[in-house]
């Protein structure tokens, strides 16, 4: 890149001078015989007393950073045995008749325990439809396992693998709902196949939805954004807080180069476990069905017509006949403000909440209708 350096010249003020007076007068510099260049140069260096004071100040302030560093190192030591490296292969026909060639991808995962059994959480796209005999799970101590069973959900890009082996170390599951922007986080995974690489950053944002992540099937999105360095191969790996709790599964990056540019997205562990528990119990995810059509362009003008100072929640455009919403007497122009105790941010947020809610259970809903607040109990059906 060529950068032009522009010098700023002062404006010259020309004044008329009396006849016979010179327009320019030269300044004569006087020498300083008692000052040497060596004395000036030595004055730039701090004295021994000043260096001792700086060293003391440095050591005192360093205690704060060292305490923080100890927390990070302890969290990494605690969590690393729960992180796995994944190689998923697919057998393809070779150019030679009757032969096969195997191609595959690498990714990451994390071990969790549910009801005395052990599972690896990862992303669906890491497995790439590989049969379980071609999925290799490398543990922290170098052992390789094949999964006994593999489940996945396309709408969330979550996959679960049941494993069995001695001395497995499950990660502690945190509460992603308590995560705040600015919290420190640690990502551990296999970027470019380099297993158990550790990166560090903060939570940059929450509730990232409607992202184009290269898979049109991933409709349920509620990503945590982080600036912890995440690269290809980190997919499916855990994002930990400083308590050593897994709070998300790294899934995607926003990049023009295909490499880390400081914007990565992870699925909150609350969503992951809601999906994983259903996959383990039912073998599939039982997505909830409310039976309403929502306004995807709920504007400030529409909000004012409904008596709201700004858009909040999800506005109902239509109700499907004989749906749970119809049976609960929902009306057009209802604005759903709370669903199952959670404040609804917009229509996409409500879509997530409904799809991941428990089926055949009474769900409390708060709506704005005709300027008044109503509380409604609704029984969701399975989609």
């Amino acid at each position: 890149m060529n950068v032009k350096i522009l010098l700023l010249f002062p404006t010259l003020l020309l004044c008329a001078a009396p006849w016979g007076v010179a327009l320019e007068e030269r300044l004569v510099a006087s020498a300083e015989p008692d000052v040497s260049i060596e004395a000036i140069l030595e004055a730039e260096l701090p004295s021994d007393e000043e260096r001792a004071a700086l060293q003391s100040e440095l050591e005192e302030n360093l205690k704060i950073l060292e305490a923080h560093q100890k927390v990070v190192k302890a969290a990494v030591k605690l969590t690393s045995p729960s992180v796995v490296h994944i190689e998923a292969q697919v057998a393809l026909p070779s150019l030679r008749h009757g032969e096969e060639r195997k191609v595959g991808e690498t990714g990451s995962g994390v071990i969790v325990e549910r009801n005395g059994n052990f599972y690896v959480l990862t992303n669906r796209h890491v497995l790439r439809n590989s049969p379980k005999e071609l999925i290799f799970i490398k543990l922290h101590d170098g052992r390789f396992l094949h999964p006994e069973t593999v489940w996945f959900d396309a709408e969330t890009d979550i996959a679960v693998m049941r494993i069995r082996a001695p001395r497995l170390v499950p990660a502690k599951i945190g509460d992603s709902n308590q995560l705040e922007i600015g919290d420190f986080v640690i990502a551990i995974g296999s970027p470019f196949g380099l297993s158990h690489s550790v990166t560090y950053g903060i939570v940059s944002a929450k509730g990232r939805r409607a992202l184009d992540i290269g898979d049109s099937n991933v409709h349920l999105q509620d990503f945590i954004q982080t600036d912890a360095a995440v690269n290809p191969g980190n997919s499916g790996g855990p994002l930990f807080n400083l308590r050593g709790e897994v709070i998300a599964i790294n899934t995607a990056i926003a990049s023009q180069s295909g490499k880390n540019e400081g914007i990565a997205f992870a699925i909150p562990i609350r969503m992951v476990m809601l999906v994983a528990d259903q996959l383990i119990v039912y073998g599939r995810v039982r997505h909830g069905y409310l039976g309403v059509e929502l306004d995807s362009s709920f504007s400030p003008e529409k909000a004012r017509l409904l008596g709201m100072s700004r858009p909040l929640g999800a506005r109902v455009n239509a109700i499907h006949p004989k749906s749970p919403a119809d049976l609960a007497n929902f009306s057009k122009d209802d604005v759903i403000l709370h669903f199952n105790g959670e404040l609804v941010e917009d229509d996409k947020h409500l879509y997530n909440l409904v799809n991941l809610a428990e089926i055949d259970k009474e769900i409390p809903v708060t709506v704005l209708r005709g300027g008044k607040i109503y509380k409604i109990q609704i029984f969701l059906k399975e989609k």
Side-chain angles (χ1 to χ4, degrees):
M1 182 186 300
N2 294 324
V3 179
K4 292 184 178 180
I5 307 299
L6 303 178
L7 301 178
L8 301 179
F9 292 93
T11 301
L12 299 178
L13 180 62
L14 299 178
C15 301
W19 181 261
V21 178
L23 291 177
E24 295 183 0
E25 294 183 3
R26 296 184 179 276
L27 297 178
V28 179
S30 59
E32 297 288 341
D34 298 332
V35 179
S36 66
I37 185 62
E38 288 77 12
I40 294 176
L41 293 176
E42 290 177 359
E44 295 295 324
L45 299 174
S47 65
D48 292 342
E49 292 79 8
E50 289 173 330
R51 287 177 57 81
L54 287 173
Q55 183 68 42
S56 177
E57 180 182 355
L58 176 63
E59 292 176 357
E60 186 65 28
N61 292 331
L62 191 59
K63 294 177 182 179
I64 301 173
L65 291 179
E66 286 178 338
H68 181 81
Q69 189 180 41
K70 288 179 180 179
V71 170
V72 175
K73 290 192 291 187
V76 170
K77 289 180 181 178
L78 177 67
T79 57
S80 288
S82 303
V83 182
V84 301
H85 173 80
I86 299 172
E87 295 181 8
Q89 298 179 353
V90 179
L92 297 177
S94 177
L95 295 177
R96 295 181 179 180
H97 181 69
E99 295 184 0
E100 288 185 341
R101 59 190 176 93
K102 292 181 175 64
V103 298
E105 297 288 341
T106 61
S108 308
V110 61
I111 301 172
V112 297
E113 182 180 3
R114 309 301 278 177
N115 299 320
N117 294 311
F118 294 91
Y119 304 88
V120 171
L121 305 176
T122 187
N123 285 136
R124 171 182 172 269
H125 74 261
V126 169
L127 305 182
R128 301 180 64 86
N129 299 318
S130 299
K132 60 185 181 181
E133 62 270 14
L134 292 182
I135 297 175
F136 299 86
I137 301 170
K138 184 181 180 182
L139 303 181
H140 182 259
D141 58 11
R143 288 178 291 163
F144 279 91
L145 303 175
H146 293 294
E148 291 185 341
T149 312
V150 179
W151 304 277
F152 59 81
D153 178 59
E155 288 204 75
T156 55
D157 196 27
I158 293 169
V160 182
M161 298 183 287
R162 183 168 59 202
I163 58 174
R164 195 186 304 274
R167 305 188 312 278
L168 295 175
V169 182
K172 185 177 180 181
I173 298 171
D175 185 358
S176 51
N177 281 1
Q178 300 301 316
L179 203 62
E180 296 184 2
I181 296 171
D183 282 347
F184 292 109
V185 288
I186 300 168
I188 305 180
S190 303
F192 303 109
L194 302 171
S195 65
H196 289 86
S197 296
V198 179
T199 55
Y200 182 62
I202 64 167
V203 173
S204 304
K206 297 169 58 180
R208 296 298 195 198
R209 307 182 185 99
L211 301 179
D212 181 7
I213 62 172
D215 189 337
S216 59
N217 292 319
V218 184
H219 303 300
L220 293 176
Q221 300 182 12
D222 193 28
F223 291 111
I224 294 167
Q225 180 182 329
T226 177
D227 67 350
V230 172
N231 283 292
N234 274 109
S235 287
L239 193 68
F240 292 104
N241 60 20
L242 293 188
R243 295 181 179 273
E245 301 167 333
V246 56
I247 46 84
I249 297 296
N250 296 310
T251 298
I253 58 175
S255 174
Q256 294 180 337
S257 64
K259 301 177 182 178
N260 172 63
E261 293 183 11
I263 301 177
F265 302 103
I267 306 172
I269 198 63
R270 182 174 181 271
M271 177 185 286
V272 174
M273 296 315 302
L274 284 172
V275 170
D277 286 338
Q278 291 196 57
L279 289 173
I280 293 168
V281 174
Y282 303 110
R284 60 186 176 83
V285 179
R286 304 171 68 207
H287 293 294
Y289 169 67
L290 181 59
V292 296
E293 294 181 11
L294 301 175
D295 184 358
S296 60
S297 58
F298 188 25
S299 63
E301 291 75 16
K302 293 178 181 178
R304 282 193 289 271
L305 292 175
L306 296 174
M308 305 174 67
S309 60
R310 63 181 178 88
L312 180 67
R315 174 178 168 267
V316 176
N317 268 342
I319 299 97
H320 297 168
K322 298 182 180 180
S323 67
D326 186 28
L327 297 176
N329 294 316
F330 273 62
S331 302
K332 184 179 182 298
D333 286 333
D334 279 353
V335 179
I336 302 175
L337 299 175
H338 289 89
F339 184 87
N340 203 18
E342 189 163 344
L343 180 66
V344 177
E345 298 175 14
D346 53 29
D347 60 308
K348 297 179 182 63
H349 187 206
L350 179 63
Y351 180 81
N352 288 347
L353 295 175
V354 171
N355 271 269
L356 297 175
E358 291 187 55
I359 309 299
D360 301 325
K361 179 183 177 181
E362 197 171 66
I363 302 293
V365 181
T366 303
V367 302
L368 174 68
R369 179 183 298 165
K372 296 181 180 180
I373 301 294
Y374 292 86
K375 293 187 177 181
I376 302 173
Q377 300 293 325
I378 187 169
F379 286 87
L380 294 184
K381 294 181 180 179
E382 184 176 353
K383 185 186 292 185

